[in-house]
Amino acid sequence: MKFPDLHATLFWVLASATALSAISVVLTQNIVRSAVWLLFSLAGTAGIFFLVGADFVAATQLIVYVGGTLVLVIFGVMLTAQGPFISMKTSAAEWAFSVVAGLVFLGVLLVTVTQGKWVGHFAAVSPAESTSAVALGESLLGIADATPPAQLIGTAAPDQPLPRTRMSYLLPFEIVSVHLLVVLIGAAYLARAKRRRGAAA
Amino acid sequence: MPSLGLLIAIVATILCLTFVAVSAIFFIWLERKVAGRIQDRLGPTRVGGRFGWLQTIADGIKLLVKEDIIPANADHFLFRLGPYIAFCGAFLAFVALPFGNGIVAVNMNVAVFYMLAVMSTEVFGVILAGYGSGSKWSLFGAMREAAQVVSYEVPMAICVIVPIIVAGSMNLVTIGQQQGGCFVNWQMFHDPFSFLAFWTYFTCAVASCKRAPFDLAEAESELVAGFHTEYSGLRWSFFFMAEYGAMFAVSGIAILLFAGGWHTGFLPFDPSVALKGELGSVTVGETNPWVIDFGWLLGNLINVIVFILKGWVLVFVMMWVRWTLPRLRIDQVMMACIKYLLPISCALLLGVSLWQLALASFEWLHYFSWALGGLCFFAVLGVAWKLFTTDQPPPDTGMGALLQQGGPLMAELAKK
Amino acid sequence: MTPITLNHYLALGAVLFVCGVLCMATKRNAIGVLMGVELVLNGANINFVAFAYYLRDPQGNAVFLVEGQVFALFVIVLAAAEAAIALAIVLNFYNNHLTVDVDTAEELKG
């Protein structure tokens, strides 16, 4: 096992950066700095995606989240930030309660994670050989053969493996496209300059 | 073998970093020279070196020793962070940019998409710099930059999809390999839509690098210096390195996607393939032998030089445009994107898809690339012919004319 | 160093998820709440992609290679849509109340 060393190092670096940035998002009071920590957290997540061979998802994460959504968020902050509102204080009691509740929640999740028995094998995929983009594209085009032929695991009768149903995702893709169009119109409608409001009222 | 992988990664990083820094030095000198020539003056000559090439070095030393000022109003953390994020965004794009046949730091399956994605994070550094400076000029520059870059990303990405549809891959090495041989094999000449997509892409790329005539984020006549008003010294130079790095990166994408990548367009073979195994090789390592083929190396050296020269030509065009065209207004910039470039790019996308379908049934469409390529070749030849055969001296409006008119006057003065 | 398993990725996802929930609970700025939502969605995304990578059948085929990544893609796209709408609402709210403090949004209280 020579390759996993590099993988493990990269994982620890990226994971600690991502997690620490996420914690900083919560702890920072200044909303713009929060957004910066969110940037690092999202970029770290993209790095994690690259690490597990999902390069197309990682690039999408960067271009949509970091280049689009986060810029939009910062834009919103700049438009709505007026001196005193940039940092809105949360009271100590609220903090204490949230932290306790959050730690309990984290504990429950971690116990669930460690109790789960996943049947998993490790396989390294180098970015050049990763064909996830091709498989994704074919699957979104409605080609069911794009999903790999595999057998279901963790079924009730492990000695009689079942072939999995091969799916394609053309319909969800179209629905998401229409959804985005609706959102485009909706956001433009909501955020438009209201000139008639004063005259009507 | 992790140690070898790590070593290769470090070497590749250092090479990319060196290339970005050195080309920034060269581009700053070139920018001054181009600006000088276009404005009918000489550009830097005084500092030394042939054609004043030491000017940038002198500038660099000046920037290094300048006082590092952080304004009292600034948000220190964001102010410091801004330049680094901008530079990282531009630099990370080079990780997936192939300079030759297989000469790439990471041969990525989604290289084009990755490069666009990473370069889109550069805008974040500019916004943070503008916000963190605590100055209204910077903030205006940052807001303009955010609106402009996010808008221009859309037609740029759609134009990039056009050659990807033709090539059937997002791997830049594969796309480059497909365009070998005669220059009519370049994607640009494949069909009329790709040809138009090249120019549309280049326009959007100029805008996304915030270069004139789209440099609204700096707009020194309105906003002092835009987002980097408050920056000085080394931090300011990081923004410059980011800008020149991004210029070469978008030019590199354009070259690889549309203009033949590392191929000269005249050699019928790829030198790195043709010379492979011809000049002997050396094997390094015992357990994991690593063959160094000198022929392949020499061939790829030619490839890299051709690729970098092509990239420089596009960067030169960007400078030429900058010093020729006046700056647009912000509403004109947004209108150009949303009303013109976006519909044009969508139409090109639709057109190239239909063309690919039509290729299957109409065999003669394959000859289109010869017609378009030949036409462009003769057009370029014609322009060059005109340039070199016009014996009319260039219009003498500058110092020369002044001296000519002043000549008799001086003579008279001397007589007295 | 122990080899990295699926559980490591799931733990990272859990940390991001909890941070997001905490962010939604403690921030009074509407845009801060929005950031919490983004963190939660990212935590879920890490789980999707990690499962797509690790979950293999006894023959070594990735069982849900495409599913995990397709779901992650859809989550990213829908998160962008959600952010656009949420910001439009926040801007509207700001126009009416001159603040983005979520505690002042109590007009619909019965």
Side-chain angles (χ1 to χ4, degrees):
Chain A
M1 292 293 274
K2 277 172 184 166
F3 183 76
D5 287 344
L6 198 55
H7 179 96
T9 321
L10 281 176
F11 173 81
W12 286 117
V13 170
L14 284 172
S16 50
T18 312
L20 289 178
S21 314
I23 293 168
S24 308
V25 174
V26 183
L27 296 184
T28 315
Q29 289 295 321
N30 184 326
I31 192 75
V32 180
R33 286 194 187 185
S34 271
V36 175
W37 288 119
L38 186 64
L39 162 75
F40 288 134
S41 189
L42 295 180
T45 315
I48 293 278
F49 289 168
F50 274 119
L51 201 58
V52 289
D55 37 12
F56 189 82
V57 183
T60 314
Q61 163 103 358
L62 277 180
I63 203 165
V64 175
Y65 253 127
V66 180
T69 310
L70 216 48
V71 172
L72 204 65
V73 167
I74 291 273
F75 223 82
V77 170
M78 284 180 181
L79 289 177
T80 56
Q82 281 189 344
F85 297 116
I86 294 179
S87 57
M88 289 181 208
K89 292 280 180 292
T90 311
S91 70
E94 280 175 331
W95 264 117
F97 180 74
S98 327
V99 167
V100 169
L103 284 181
V104 170
F105 190 30
L106 183 63
V108 170
L109 281 180
L110 289 182
V111 166
T112 320
V113 163
T114 47
Q115 293 293 309
K117 290 186 181 60
W118 318 113
V119 189
H121 300 275
F122 183 86
V125 183
S126 105
E129 280 109 51
S130 148
T131 52
S132 68
V134 178
L136 276 181
E138 289 180 343
S139 159
L140 289 178
L141 273 178
I143 302 170
D145 289 347
T147 46
Q151 284 163 347
L152 284 181
I153 44 177
T155 47
D159 50 325
Q160 290 175 326
L162 301 165
R164 53 152 300 175
T165 323
R166 297 171 101 183
M167 301 270 287
S168 69
Y169 292 89
L170 179 62
L171 185 63
F173 181 67
E174 290 301 326
I175 293 175
V176 162
S177 321
V178 175
H179 176 90
L180 280 182
L181 182 66
V182 173
V183 163
L184 198 70
I185 298 170
Y189 175 76
L190 277 176
R192 79 194 189 285
K194 294 180 187 58
R195 290 199 201 88
R196 290 176 289 114
R197 195 181 168 85
Chain B
M1 204 166 148
S3 57
L4 185 64
L6 210 60
L7 192 72
I8 293 175
I10 291 172
V11 169
T13 314
I14 291 175
L15 279 180
C16 283
L17 204 59
T18 316
F19 178 77
V20 175
V22 172
S23 59
I25 290 176
F26 171 72
F27 287 154
I28 290 173
W29 171 81
L30 185 69
E31 177 110 59
R32 285 156 176 257
K33 271 297 187 195
V34 170
R37 286 299 175 175
I38 287 177
Q39 295 167 350
D40 205 5
R41 54 191 173 83
L42 289 175
T45 52
R46 293 289 182 87
V47 177
R50 200 167 168 76
F51 303 118
W53 65 271
L54 281 171
Q55 178 70 46
T56 320
I57 313 282
D59 284 344
I61 294 170
K62 186 190 78 175
L63 283 177
L64 277 178
V65 299
K66 262 200 170 178
E67 188 188 352
D68 181 29
I69 300 171
I70 297 181
N73 262 344
D75 185 328
H76 286 226
F77 174 65
L78 301 184
F79 188 83
R80 283 163 199 270
L81 203 61
Y84 299 126
I85 292 184
F87 181 69
C88 278
F91 169 67
L92 278 176
F94 282 83
V95 169
L97 184 72
F99 285 82
N101 191 356
I103 305 287
V104 56
V106 180
N107 186 0
M108 216 178 271
N109 193 24
V110 290
V112 189
F113 192 33
Y114 165 83
M115 284 183 74
L116 287 183
V118 180
M119 282 195 294
S120 74
T121 59
E122 194 195 334
V123 58
F124 221 86
V126 171
I127 294 177
L128 287 188
Y131 182 84
S133 294
S135 140
K136 61 180 171 185
W137 306 122
S138 308
L139 192 60
F140 275 138
M143 293 287 271
R144 286 177 173 192
E145 163 85 4
Q148 178 189 330
V149 170
V150 171
S151 311
Y152 272 88
E153 234 166 51
V154 181
M156 187 172 161
I158 295 178
C159 284
V160 163
I161 296 176
V162 171
I164 287 176
I165 285 182
V166 177
S169 167
M170 285 199 279
N171 190 333
L172 282 172
V173 177
T174 314
I175 296 177
Q177 283 166 349
Q178 286 174 353
Q179 306 177 54
C182 184
F183 60 87
V184 292
N185 287 342
W186 293 1
Q187 301 263 9
M188 199 163 128
F189 302 122
H190 179 267
D191 54 90
F193 306 105
S194 298
F195 187 70
L196 293 177
F198 173 70
W199 303 104
T200 320
Y201 168 82
F202 194 65
T203 313
C204 297
V206 171
S208 76
C209 291
K210 51 189 182 300
R211 295 282 300 180
F214 304 104
D215 60 342
L216 271 297
E218 300 181 28
E220 68 273 5
S221 54
E222 312 155 28
L223 296 182
V224 188
F227 65 91
H228 56 58
T229 304
E230 308 291 339
Y231 281 85
S232 65
L234 201 59
R235 284 181 220 289
W236 180 80
S237 71
F238 266 107
F239 279 121
F240 248 65
M241 292 231 276
E243 183 177 331
Y244 286 111
M247 274 164 74
F248 189 84
V250 292
S251 304
I253 295 181
I255 295 290
L256 280 161
L257 285 183
F258 296 99
W262 54 83
H263 298 290
T264 50
F266 298 102
L267 291 177
F269 49 82
D270 183 340
S272 72
V273 178
L275 290 174
K276 188 167 186 176
E278 297 290 327
L279 301 178
S281 59
V282 173
T283 309
V284 185
E286 296 289 318
T287 49
N288 266 355
W290 199 35
V291 183
I292 300 176
D293 191 312
F294 289 117
W296 182 83
L297 268 185
L298 182 69
N300 256 328
L301 189 68
I302 299 171
N303 285 343
V304 170
I305 290 172
V306 168
F307 177 77
I308 291 178
L309 282 181
K310 280 184 177 180
W312 282 354
V313 168
L314 282 194
V315 171
F316 168 74
V317 173
M318 284 191 193
M319 292 174 179
W320 178 11
V321 167
R322 170 174 178 177
W323 296 103
T324 309
L325 296 179
R327 182 181 299 124
L328 298 177
R329 254 185 359 243
I330 182 72
D331 61 317
Q332 290 169 331
V333 169
M334 300 306 288
M335 194 182 71
C337 173
I338 291 167
K339 276 194 188 165
Y340 297 104
L341 290 171
L342 191 57
I344 288 174
S345 56
C346 288
L348 293 176
L349 183 64
L350 194 66
V352 82
S353 317
L354 294 178
W355 184 276
Q356 288 297 95
L357 285 180
L359 270 185
S361 38
F362 300 108
E363 197 60 32
W364 47 270
L365 280 180
H366 285 285
Y367 295 106
F368 178 83
S369 62
W370 285 93
L372 185 59
L375 206 66
C376 289
F377 181 68
F378 285 117
V380 170
L381 266 192
V383 170
W385 176 258
K386 197 82 184 153
L387 273 181
F388 286 108
T389 54
T390 313
D391 47 22
Q392 178 193 2
D396 209 350
T397 49
M399 213 54 190
L402 207 65
L403 281 179
Q404 245 174 15
Q405 287 162 7
L409 200 70
M410 295 290 270
E412 269 181 37
L413 281 175
K415 268 184 205 165
K416 285 178 185 175
Chain C
M1 209 183 278
T2 55
I4 302 299
T5 60
L6 178 61
N7 286 352
H8 290 79
Y9 287 93
L10 297 187
L12 176 64
V15 170
L16 283 198
F17 191 91
V18 169
C19 282
V21 171
L22 272 184
C23 197
M24 281 196 271
T26 55
K27 299 269 181 204
R28 286 170 55 203
N29 190 325
I31 296 173
V33 176
L34 190 62
M35 291 183 197
V37 178
E38 309 286 335
L39 272 182
V40 166
L41 292 174
N42 260 277
N45 256 357
I46 288 184
N47 282 13
F48 273 132
V49 175
F51 270 115
Y53 184 57
Y54 274 103
L55 217 56
R56 279 152 202 270
D57 67 359
Q59 279 80 45
N61 298 315
V63 185
F64 295 122
L65 180 74
V66 172
E67 273 77 3
Q69 300 190 7
V70 163
F71 287 177
L73 275 183
F74 283 152
V75 168
I76 291 173
V77 170
L78 293 181
E82 165 250 316
I85 287 291
L87 274 175
I89 293 174
V90 167
L91 285 187
N92 245 350
F93 183 73
Y94 179 77
N95 283 341
N96 292 335
H97 296 260
L98 285 181
T99 175
V100 284
D101 191 341
V102 284
D103 289 350
T104 58
E106 52 186 10
E107 281 173 15
L108 288 182
K109 224 181 237 176

